[in-house]
């Protein structure tokens, strides 16, 4: 080892320290970015943990767990094509796979337990493009940021003793978050509807349409039903699944229709705050008709393995600066991984032992 | 002068470009799945085209390596250390090629559009299937952790060569010592100045 061409191996401790420090620093940076050493930071994982605090239902979505698949098409009338170059807005049909659902993590919740219904869509555009959107039957979202949403989940987490949220903690949260006022005022008067088909569903978050010239237009969209309240059979007494039964009955009579209405924001309209509505006089485009032709059970239907991430958009639609959008994307991905891992029996995923896993 | 103790310049260029890209990719990957901030969206948007770029660069690099064999390891390295060095390199190559493919297959199985930016999309590799997605998603995660650990080991080993052994291994990938004459461990008796004090040295190892 006395080869004169190079020095002998060094035994100086600082050289070892440099190596150890370099490797440790890189590993620590990785752990930091992953959120492993910052337990107070809100991550997708912690949001989904909070969502499933009321109990894990293996194989089901962590939110909007109870639902039904639908399929149909969007018949564009071309009216929105001047604002967005997305092919879905050119005149013609685009097929979709959709899903009606109830908010919450319990797939067996009675349909009357919440006044909110949700409607999600995945449009399949040519050339592999997709447009996914998840909408809710309420005018505003309770909070504006992922941090506040997480705090709301924690504050309204069911008390293990009573199975209900602690009113003191929940009250303290809402008092500390005055932006929830618009939502609370709405929810006070809202009643669980008798049908998925008679509801209006709002995208809640703002987006941008991008036209052929590259100009960006702030938009919000919603779908409004053609069916009116009295057209259905209504909830049957004691039927906890009346929404799915109502949908079946209505589709047996014929396709169900909504209009896709796009509201154009004016300069100054907030795009980053889902707790605020835009003024009622904004220009609204009726972009076309959504037609639902069939429904399928969610455990075997084509919507089962669809993650309705609202940030999956075709060229011609972009997300806004609404901070809830990236958070929804991140949390939905985590929820999606959990439930598909449970279905696939990946070791470490929650054990799917419930006999009612796939009812 | 002797270029066999260094990697080919193209191999060195690819190594350092990919060192930056792969490390960035690992941090982007682990960051984008955890963050709920606005970074989530653009990290996700970078991740896919960057993965495709790393895959293509890894293929080019493999070809360069097969065309221009790397310099041999120092002969005085213990055999076990040599084995670990070679094995870790092949693990790095294997992961640089499989991780993008697993990612592509995983997005296909999840039914996601595989966007490389704008309206440029890759075709799906597999039919949509949630259970296949779950397995591939977990494989993608754990292979990425393995890649990160291998990169850490690789970096530690390079520093060990550079700081402790101080041999030709680190310069072979950085700045080869071209200017220096071949050390006198070549077999022929070096033309030495007559006055030179003959040093008692071990028989030089065969290079």
């Amino acid at each position: 080892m006395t080869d004169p061409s190079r020095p002998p191996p060094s035994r100086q401790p600082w050289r070892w320290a440099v190596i150890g420090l370099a490797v440790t620093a890189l590993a620590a940076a990785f752990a930091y970015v992953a959120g492993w050493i910052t337990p107070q930071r809100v991550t997708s994982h912690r949001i989904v943990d909070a969502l499933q605090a009321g109990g894990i239902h293996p194989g089901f979505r962590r939110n909007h767990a109870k639902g039904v698949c639908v399929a149909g098409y969007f018949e564009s009338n071309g009216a929105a094509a001047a604002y967005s170059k997305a092919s879905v807005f050119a005149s013609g049909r685009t097929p979709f796979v959709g899903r009606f659902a109830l908010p919450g993590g319990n797939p067996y919740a009675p349909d009357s337990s919440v006044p909110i219904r949700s409607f999600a869509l995945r449009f399949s555009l040519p050339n592999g493009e997709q447009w996914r959107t998840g909408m809710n039957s309420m005018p505003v979202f309770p909070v504006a940021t992922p941090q506040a949403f997480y705090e709301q989940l924690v504050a309204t987490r069911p008390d293990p003793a009573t199975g209900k949220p602690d009113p003191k903690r929940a009250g303290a949260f809402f008092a500390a978050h005055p932006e929830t006022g618009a939502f609370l005022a709405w929810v006070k008067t809202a009643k669980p509807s008798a049908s998925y088909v008679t509801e209006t569903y709002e995208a809640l978050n703002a987006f941008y349409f991008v036209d052929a010239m590259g100009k960006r237009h702030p938009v919000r969209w919603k779908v409004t039903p053609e069916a009116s309240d009295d057209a259905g059979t209504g909830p049957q007494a004691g039927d906890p699944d009346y929404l799915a039964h109502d949908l079946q009955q209505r589709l047996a009579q014929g396709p169900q229709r909504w209009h896709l209405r796009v509201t154009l924001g004016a300069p100054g309209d907030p795009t980053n705050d889902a707790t605020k509505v835009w003024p009622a006089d904004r220009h609204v485009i009726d972009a076309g008709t959504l037609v639902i032709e069939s429904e399928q059970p969610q455990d075997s239907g084509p919507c089962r393995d669809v993650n309705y991430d609202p940030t999956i958009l075709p060229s011609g639609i972009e997300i806004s600066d609404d901070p809830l959008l990236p958070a929804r994307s991140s949390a939905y991905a985590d929820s999606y991984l959990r439930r598909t891992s449970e279905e696939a029996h990946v070791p470490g995923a929650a054990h799917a032992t419930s006999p009612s896993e796939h009812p | 002068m002797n270029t066999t103790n260094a990697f080919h310049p193209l191999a060195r260029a690819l190594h350092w470009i990919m060192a930056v890209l792969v490390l960035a990719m690992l941090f982007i990957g682990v960051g984008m799945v955890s963050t709920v901030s606005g970074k989530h969206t653009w990290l996700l948007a970078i991740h896919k085209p960057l993965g495709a770029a790393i895959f293509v660069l890894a293929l080019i690099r493999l070809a360069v390596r097969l065309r221009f064999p790397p310099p041999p390891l120092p002969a005085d390295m213990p055999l076990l250390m040599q084995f670990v060095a070679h094995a870790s390199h092949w693990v790095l190559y294997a992961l640089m090629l499989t991780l993008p493919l697993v990612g592509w297959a995983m997005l296909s199985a999840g039914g996601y559009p595989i966007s490389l930016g704008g309206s440029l999309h890759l075709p799906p590799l597999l039919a949509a299937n949630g259970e296949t997605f779950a397995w591939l998603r977990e494989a993608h995660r754990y292979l990425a952790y393995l890649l990160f650990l291998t990169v850490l080991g690789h970096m530690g080993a390079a520093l060990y060569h550079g700081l402790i052994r101080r041999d030709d291994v680190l310069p072979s990938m950085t700045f080869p010592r071209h200017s220096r004459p071949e050390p006198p461990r070549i077999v022929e008796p070096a033309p030495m100045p007559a006055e030179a004090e003959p040093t008692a040295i071990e028989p030089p190892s065969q290079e």
Side-chain angles (χ1 to χ4, degrees):
Chain A
M1 295 304 283
T2 48
D3 185 339
S5 71
R6 62 179 175 87
S10 170
R11 284 177 172 71
Q12 283 170 277
W14 71 265
R15 289 169 181 272
W16 284 106
V18 167
I19 299 173
L21 205 66
V23 172
T24 312
L26 196 58
F30 191 80
Y32 173 78
V33 172
W36 295 334
I37 50 180
T38 48
Q40 77 288 354
R41 192 201 303 166
V42 175
T43 62
S44 53
H45 200 77
R46 290 178 189 126
I47 286 182
V48 179
D49 279 349
L51 280 169
Q52 67 183 24
I56 297 177
H57 298 278
F60 286 96
R61 286 162 208 264
R62 268 29 182 185
N63 195 6
H64 302 274
K66 183 180 188 182
V68 56
C69 295
V70 291
Y73 60 88
F74 173 60
E75 180 90 55
S76 171
N77 56 24
Y83 302 94
S84 169
K85 63 186 175 191
S87 62
V88 65
F89 296 120
S91 293
R93 283 186 183 190
T94 303
F96 66 75
V97 168
R99 187 170 179 274
F100 287 111
L102 301 187
N106 179 5
Y108 312 109
D111 290 343
S112 57
S113 59
V114 275
I116 300 164
R117 282 81 176 86
S118 75
F119 186 21
L121 292 164
R122 184 192 67 183
F123 300 89
S124 298
L125 283 60
N127 306 321
E129 286 198 297
Q130 294 181 5
W131 174 23
R132 302 188 186 189
T133 180
M135 300 171 288
N136 284 285
S137 64
M138 57 203 203
V140 287
F141 200 69
V143 290
T145 64
Q147 178 76 38
F149 180 64
Y150 178 73
E151 289 169 20
Q152 183 193 344
L153 287 177
V154 172
T156 57
R157 178 179 289 174
D159 186 328
T162 63
K164 289 196 161 29
D166 175 356
K168 245 191 260 167
R169 284 210 313 175
F173 169 83
F174 289 111
H177 287 268
E179 76 272 22
T180 57
F183 174 79
L184 292 177
W186 171 81
V187 86
K188 216 173 266 174
T189 59
K191 288 189 174 58
S193 79
S195 173
Y196 282 130
V197 172
T198 54
E199 287 285 277
T200 292
Y201 300 91
E202 305 256 6
L204 295 172
N205 305 111
F207 293 81
Y208 286 105
F209 275 7
V210 184
D211 65 27
M213 308 297 288
K215 191 169 186 288
R216 297 185 348 144
H217 308 269
V219 294
R220 280 173 156 171
W221 59 77
K222 62 181 167 189
V223 298
T224 55
E226 282 192 356
S228 58
D229 261 330
D230 52 3
T233 55
Q236 279 125 32
D239 179 3
D241 305 318
Y242 62 81
L243 287 172
H245 298 145
D246 169 80
L247 184 66
Q248 266 169 4
Q249 288 179 20
R250 289 180 189 252
L251 283 168
Q253 317 281 320
Q256 301 296 313
R257 291 186 166 77
W258 283 258
H259 286 265
L260 176 63
R261 296 188 195 275
V262 180
T263 303
L264 288 171
D269 287 346
T271 52
N272 63 350
D273 190 344
T275 67
K276 291 194 173 73
V277 293
W278 288 347
D281 62 352
R282 296 292 178 253
H283 183 55
V284 178
I285 308 158
D286 184 343
T289 314
L290 281 164
V291 182
I292 290 177
E293 298 176 302
S294 63
E295 53 87 31
Q296 301 84 23
Q298 68 160 340
D299 60 318
S300 57
C303 76
R304 185 186 85 159
D305 292 333
V306 178
N307 163 9
Y308 287 98
D309 175 346
T311 69
I312 295 177
L313 301 166
S315 182
I317 310 179
E318 292 177 359
I319 63 166
S320 67
D321 54 348
D322 187 328
L324 291 175
L325 283 169
R328 285 176 72 181
S329 174
S330 191
Y332 287 21
D334 189 280
S335 164
Y336 184 60
L337 175 59
R338 292 189 199 202
R339 65 191 171 86
T340 53
S341 297
E342 289 155 3
E343 284 171 355
H345 299 276
V346 172
H351 297 294
T353 48
S354 162
S356 47
E357 178 200 5
H358 295 304
Chain B
M1 51 172 269
N2 186 357
T3 52
T4 60
N5 71 348
F7 282 85
H8 188 271
L10 184 55
R12 271 180 279 150
L14 283 166
H15 171 272
W16 289 106
I17 292 168
M18 292 193 74
V20 173
L21 296 185
V22 168
L23 211 52
M25 190 65 169
L26 288 163
F27 277 86
I28 287 170
V30 78
M32 74 184 192
V33 297
S34 65
T35 186
V36 294
S37 75
K39 296 187 198 88
H40 172 80
T41 309
W42 61 264
L43 290 175
L44 203 62
I46 297 171
H47 194 80
K48 291 169 222 174
L50 187 54
I54 287 173
F55 179 75
V56 171
L57 286 171
L59 282 179
I60 294 171
R61 198 166 155 200
L62 189 62
V64 167
R65 187 179 177 117
L66 297 174
R67 170 67 185 78
F68 305 105
L73 290 168
D76 61 345
M77 258 174 79
L79 277 179
L80 180 66
M81 212 187 274
Q82 296 209 21
F83 171 77
V84 172
H86 287 299
S88 63
H89 282 191
W90 290 115
V91 169
L92 286 169
Y93 273 90
L95 290 173
M96 286 188 294
L97 290 167
T98 50
L99 262 164
L101 288 177
V102 170
W104 183 0
M106 164 197 122
L107 290 173
S108 310
Y112 291 102
I114 304 145
S115 171
L116 295 186
S119 51
L120 180 61
H121 288 70
L122 291 176
L125 282 182
L126 305 173
N129 180 294
E131 297 179 12
T132 311
F133 168 84
W135 284 106
L136 291 170
R137 175 65 184 78
E138 295 293 11
H140 196 67
R141 178 217 305 253
Y142 289 106
L143 289 174
Y145 289 165
L146 179 62
L147 176 57
F148 184 66
L149 289 177
T150 315
V151 165
L152 281 183
H154 182 76
M155 189 187 80
L159 290 173
Y160 167 75
H161 281 285
L163 288 170
I164 307 294
R165 284 180 56 92
R166 289 187 278 176
D167 55 20
D168 287 337
V169 169
L170 187 57
S172 73
M173 196 46 107
T174 54
F175 304 103
R177 295 160 176 158
H178 285 293
S179 52
R180 194 195 260 198
E182 269 303 288
R185 53 185 157 139
I186 43 174
V187 175
E188 287 89 37
M192 293 164 100
E195 308 87 303
E197 183 72 28
T199 40
I201 58 172
E202 294 173 9
S205 54
Q206 192 79 31
E207 286 285 327

